[in-house]
Amino acid sequence: LDYIAPEAMMHFVEHCRANNGIATVERCLLHMDVTIMDFDSILTLLRANEMYSALFYVYNQGLNDYTTPFEILCEKIFDAADTIGQLTNERRVDGIPQNDFEKYGYKAILYLQSCFCGKTFPQGTEIPEDS
């Protein structure tokens, strides 16, 4: 399955959200041909549901844009920093982010690492020469 119509995607997202499976939507999107999707509706959906890996994928693969998704994520990092108050040096032993600031910051670091290594995020394939 390479494509889902916007209306069907909206129903799929609602179904997954009702069943606490929004991550399923993101995983599915990472396997679709985003060059034929309605970018406005899919990008709105991804931002509203904080599916940033899929947002990177759509911008990178569909629009050949590597900076805008990072800027979007930076906005979320700054918003999270404003609401977190005091940052602490305490970390969980299991490495799971304790708050949105850490979660978004970690994703931003992974994205930058991939880009600097010439890889797409999150797939890890080579960025095409013409990008």
Side-chain angles (χ1 to χ4, degrees):
L1 182 63
D2 289 339
Y3 174 75
I4 296 178
E7 187 175 331
M9 177 62 79
M10 187 174 59
H11 291 295
F12 178 55
V13 169
E14 291 304 320
H15 170 76
C16 289
R17 184 182 296 132
N19 295 305
N20 292 325
I22 201 73
T24 302
V25 176
E26 189 167 33
R27 285 193 305 270
C28 288
L29 280 170
L30 297 177
H31 298 282
M32 294 185 179
D33 182 1
V34 296
T35 60
I36 58 175
M37 291 184 177
D38 173 20
F39 290 110
D40 290 332
S41 62
I42 197 70
L43 292 173
T44 301
L45 176 103
L46 295 174
R47 285 184 82 164
N49 291 284
E50 299 182 342
M51 292 186 265
Y52 293 107
S53 293
L55 186 84
F56 290 139
Y57 178 72
V58 171
Y59 269 103
N60 297 170
Q61 302 297 315
L63 299 170
N64 200 28
D65 181 352
Y66 290 82
T67 57
T68 303
F70 182 69
E71 291 170 354
I72 291 168
L73 188 58
C74 282
E75 289 175 18
K76 291 299 287 186
I77 292 169
F78 297 141
D79 290 345
D82 289 342
T83 61
I84 195 169
Q86 180 85 19
L87 291 175
T88 67
N89 289 331
E90 297 175 19
R91 299 285 174 248
R92 289 175 50 142
V93 177
D94 58 9
I96 296 173
Q98 299 180 65
N99 51 54
D100 287 343
F101 179 75
E102 289 182 7
K103 179 174 74 172
Y104 299 140
Y106 181 69
K107 188 159 300 264
I109 290 169
L110 290 176
Y111 180 70
L112 288 175
Q113 178 186 20
S114 293
C115 290
F116 290 151
C117 291
K119 307 279 186 188
T120 61
F121 181 84
Q123 295 83 2
T125 58
E126 295 289 324
I127 293 176
E129 289 289 323
D130 61 341
S131 296

